[in-house]
Amino acid sequence: MKHNITVIPVGGLANRLRAIAAAYALAESLDCSLKVKWSKDDGLMANFSDIFRTDNIPFELIEISAFKNRLLYEVPRKRNLFISAIYQNLSPDKFIFHTGPMLSFPSLEDYKRILQNQNLVISSGSAFIDFKKDNFDRLFKVLPVIESKKAEILNFRNPTISCHIRRTDNHDSIKNSPLVLFESKVKEELENNPSASIFIASDDEGVKRHFLEKFGSNILINPAPASRKTKEGIIDAMAEMLILADSPRIYGSFWSSYSEIAALMGDSELIILKN
């Protein structure tokens, strides 16, 4: 009997995309069917179908409520009163939660042994197994609204380079990829090419204003405020990721999956700016 892998993608946009891509690679390697159970929550307030086309996707998409996800599929913990442990202990499926370093992830052989006897449910925001870029391209085809938003932001300009400056709650990025490193790269680029258009993607509105004030019309930004808590904010985030992906070179932030996934999507050169 063909067994099934279910992935519960968690975290922000980039984390979820790489988890689905990894699950697809795993299912393909082990000849299993794949289900994706996606819930919108405070970390990403949009459904998969709000961002991507769902025709001809090579998996079964099931969009569930954040409440159902918390009660049934999340790791048992205080915030769900450990209720999910009851469901998971009664389920015939094997649940795996990827919460630690990559070295602690099961191997392909471990997954294979599990799937000989039961279905597998993986809750993850990580690339827990290697996947091909071609598979990534096949899985995620954006809706026209994303392409329209991208064109609106670009306004007929094409960035020479792009910067992704991760701030807000990512303390590792703030500490290891300070603003001065990005300023230095932008200044260097403009010295070499005074007419360069440089796209600045950031989850911090103050950062975007800072670069506009410092470097003027050479800077290209999305004027809409970044937000994970609205569907419109997630549409903007996906459009900005596509702009980064189209750039030949991305200066990215340390410990940011968003920088990494953007570079993967566009086969762009990614340079992580780090102290």
Side-chain angles (χ1 to χ4, degrees):
M1 182 180 69
K2 191 170 185 175
H3 282 94
N4 174 260
I5 295 170
T6 298
V7 64
I8 317 288
V10 299
L13 182 59
N15 298 77
R16 293 188 185 211
L17 300 191
R18 66 182 181 180
I20 293 172
Y24 178 73
L26 182 62
E28 196 173 43
S29 296
L30 300 180
D31 191 29
C32 296
S33 58
L34 176 65
K35 294 180 182 178
V36 174
K37 291 190 176 179
W38 178 292
S39 69
K40 60 181 180 181
D41 54 32
D42 287 343
L44 197 152
M45 193 55 72
N47 279 316
F48 184 95
S49 57
D50 293 326
I51 313 165
F52 302 106
R53 287 170 46 188
T54 57
D55 54 310
N56 299 318
I57 50 176
F59 56 83
E60 181 183 352
L61 173 66
I62 305 167
E63 294 177 334
I64 61 175
S65 69
F67 179 74
K68 182 175 182 179
N69 183 47
R70 184 172 296 180
L71 286 188
L72 301 183
Y73 302 116
E74 275 192 3
V75 62
R77 51 185 165 172
K78 187 182 292 185
R79 90 171 198 158
N80 61 14
L81 303 177
F82 299 92
I83 291 172
S84 60
I86 300 170
Y87 173 79
Q88 291 163 24
N89 289 334
L90 292 174
S91 172
D93 301 336
K94 171 68 174 178
F95 281 76
I96 292 179
F97 301 94
H98 291 145
T99 55
M102 284 196 67
L103 291 175
S104 68
F105 291 174
S107 68
L108 185 62
E109 286 304 311
D110 293 329
Y111 291 120
K112 189 174 183 179
R113 281 193 292 273
I114 293 168
L115 286 159
Q116 286 175 348
N117 301 306
Q118 58 193 140
N119 293 327
L120 178 60
V121 180
I122 301 172
S123 175
S124 181
S126 303
F128 52 87
I129 196 167
D130 290 338
F131 54 83
K132 300 174 184 176
K133 180 187 181 299
D134 290 349
N135 285 352
F136 196 90
D137 295 340
R138 183 184 175 196
L139 292 167
F140 308 114
K141 294 181 170 62
V142 298
L143 292 173
V145 66
I146 308 288
E147 294 287 0
S148 297
K149 186 63 183 183
K150 174 188 168 187
E152 179 187 324
I153 296 168
L154 287 173
N155 194 24
F156 302 104
R157 295 168 66 183
N158 293 311
T160 312
I161 64 164
S162 290
C163 298
H164 172 238
I165 308 173
R166 181 74 163 87
R167 302 290 92 162
T168 60
D169 59 344
N170 193 323
H171 302 295
D172 288 319
S173 289
I174 295 168
K175 179 182 176 182
N176 292 283
S177 298
L179 218 56
V180 65
L181 297 183
F182 293 95
E183 290 178 358
S184 177
K185 288 299 179 183
V186 170
K187 184 178 178 181
E188 179 183 309
E189 187 69 29
L190 292 176
E191 285 173 352
N192 294 329
N193 180 7
S195 63
S197 290
I198 299 170
F199 179 61
I200 303 292
S202 181
D203 54 351
D204 187 315
E205 299 311 301
V207 167
K208 292 193 285 188
R209 287 195 303 271
H210 172 77
F211 277 83
L212 273 176
E213 290 167 4
K214 190 173 182 68
F215 298 104
S217 60
N218 291 97
I219 299 301
L220 179 63
I221 65 163
N222 178 6
S227 173
R228 301 178 188 177
K229 299 186 183 300
T230 65
K231 183 175 78 171
E232 292 73 23
I234 302 304
I235 287 171
D236 280 3
M238 190 66 234
E240 290 185 44
M241 187 182 283
L242 292 183
I243 294 172
L244 291 172
D246 284 348
S247 301
R249 185 165 68 258
I250 302 169
Y251 290 107
S253 298
F254 176 78
W255 209 250
S256 171
S257 56
Y258 191 93
S259 299
E260 294 169 2
I261 292 300
L264 172 72
M265 289 174 64
D267 236 354
S268 307
E269 179 187 11
L270 175 62
I271 300 171
I272 300 297
L273 298 185
K274 183 178 180 295
N275 278 331

